Amino acid sequence: MQWTVQETPPAQAVTKGEKTRGELYRHMVRHKWLYLFLIPGFLYLLIFKYIPMFGIVIAFQDFSLVRGIGGSEWVGLENFAYLLHAPDFYKVLRNSLVLSFYQIVFEFPAPIVLAVMLNEVRHIVFKRVSQTILYLPHFISWVVLASIVMNFLSPSTGIVNEILKSFGHEPIPFLLKPEFFRTIIVTAEVWKGVGWGTIIYLAAMTSIDPTLYESAKMDGANRFQQIRHITLPGIASTIIVLLVLQVGHILDNGFEQIFLLYNPLTYDVGDVFETYTYRIGLIDGRLSFASTVGLFKALVGFVLILGANRLARLFGKQVW
């Protein structure tokens, strides 16, 4: 009796793409709740960030609300040429750059310094209470915070002018003085955001190996030497990332705080691209020109963030 051996057909090879898709599917099923929590953020970015990008074409049109995007006349780069020759453009550009410079010099290092100080506090109760108090201004809207600033600086009832009166000084209308406006804006932004910024740096400090501090103490290093040689190098990558992002938004000075605190007397030092766009776009109805200003800001920010990342690579801190 002859026995025949039947060869089994070889198993069908699984392609790399199918394997990757299978792993991705299993990963999504295993972490379905995490992906579910991503949906609100994804919808926010899609609706308010990506879909409005189609409106960029308005910058190249003589846009009319009646004719719409499809029926408006195309003018090419005419709006950009007008922007570069507009009498207010360079004043607004100067104000935006000066305010951004102040923000980088004073506002950016503030949470780093505060995080280092809180990290050195050994009294747990005092540390937690301090963190809570410092975080609170972040959750106050600019409308409320602007009202607080106005009340503090009021020439008649403000606490700052009351202190000046007690020393025999005349009241100063701070919000009407152009020389004080930028200082007020930057100080208010530091007060509002410094506590929230410390969260990122304190989280970064938790990844530093505690044995490094113990070794430094055994070698006789004091607190300042530990901060200089362990803490700051340990969060250097986080600092570089946030600095690159800050440089990318160098022309974004914020709308609410400036709009709520500035007035015609401080236009020369306080008018930035956000308020400029608001006036020419919504008040004057020149939507095409307002879109041109926004696109110009985006292009400048894109170039700056590429340049900042290039510098980060040269210093050995690759961000991307």
Side-chain angles (χ1 to χ4, degrees), residues 236-246 305-320:
S237 59
T238 304
I239 295 174
I240 292 295
V241 170
L242 295 179
L243 181 59
V244 169
L245 296 177
Q246 181 81 8
I305 203 170
L306 290 179
N309 184 65
R310 178 63 178 170
L311 290 176
R313 291 183 179 182
L314 293 178
F315 283 100
K317 297 293 182 182
Q318 184 171 345
V319 180
W320 292 344

Side-chain angles (χ1 to χ4, degrees), residues 12-26:
Q12 186 176 3
V14 179
T15 64
K16 184 178 180 180
E18 292 176 349
K19 183 179 180 180
T20 303
R21 287 193 295 270
E23 292 176 352
L24 178 61
Y25 176 76
R26 288 191 294 271

Side-chain angles (χ1 to χ4, degrees), residues 69-282:
I69 294 179
S72 297
E73 179 184 357
W74 289 88
V75 295
L77 299 177
E78 182 178 324
N79 289 322
F80 290 91
Y82 180 80
L83 173 65
L84 296 177
H85 292 87
D88 295 334
F89 171 73
Y90 292 100
K91 180 186 71 175
V92 173
L93 179 62
R94 184 190 70 244
N95 292 338
S96 299
L97 291 176
V98 170
L99 268 178
S100 295
F101 174 76
Y102 288 163
Q103 289 168 349
I104 292 176
V105 172
F106 298 105
E107 186 178 351
F108 181 77
I112 302 174
V113 175
L114 184 59
V116 171
M117 294 172 63
L118 289 175
N119 190 56
E120 295 298 320
V121 174
R122 296 294 176 259
H123 196 285
I124 301 300
V125 176
F126 176 79
K127 183 177 181 179
R128 290 177 178 175
V129 172
S130 300
Q131 287 177 311
T132 303
I133 295 174
L134 291 169
Y135 296 160
L136 285 178
H138 174 76
F139 300 98
I140 301 176
S141 70
W142 272 113
V143 176
V144 177
L145 197 143
S147 300
I148 295 174
V149 172
M150 291 178 183
N151 288 326
F152 267 65
L153 301 179
S154 172
S156 56
T157 60
I159 186 172
V160 176
N161 276 300
E162 289 297 328
I163 295 174
L164 292 177
K165 290 178 185 177
S166 65
F167 286 99
H169 199 286
E170 291 294 325
I172 300 175
F174 290 99
L175 292 174
L176 301 180
K177 297 286 187 179
E179 59 268 25
F180 293 118
F181 181 78
R182 290 168 179 163
T183 303
I184 294 171
I185 290 294
V186 174
T187 303
E189 289 179 346
V190 171
W191 178 33
K192 189 179 192 308
V194 67
W196 183 258
T198 58
I199 296 177
I200 301 174
Y201 295 109
L202 286 173
M205 291 176 188
T206 59
S207 63
I208 301 175
D209 189 355
T211 59
L212 295 176
Y213 293 102
E214 297 174 2
S215 300
K217 290 179 182 178
M218 294 178 62
D219 291 337
N222 56 34
R223 285 286 184 89
F224 292 102
Q225 290 172 329
Q226 293 175 35
I227 293 172
R228 178 183 176 185
H229 297 287
I230 298 176
T231 305
L232 292 180
I235 63 173
S237 59
T238 304
I239 295 174
I240 292 295
V241 170
L242 295 179
L243 181 59
V244 169
L245 296 177
Q246 181 81 8
V247 171
H249 291 276
I250 199 168
L251 294 182
D252 293 332
N253 304 109
F255 172 75
E256 295 92 345
Q257 59 269 40
I258 296 177
F259 179 75
L260 292 169
L261 292 175
Y262 84 153
N263 55 75
L265 295 178
T266 57
Y267 276 176
D268 287 339
V269 297
D271 198 17
V272 295
F273 278 111
E274 286 82 0
T275 55
Y276 183 60
T277 305
Y278 167 77
R279 287 204 315 277
I280 64 176
L282 295 181

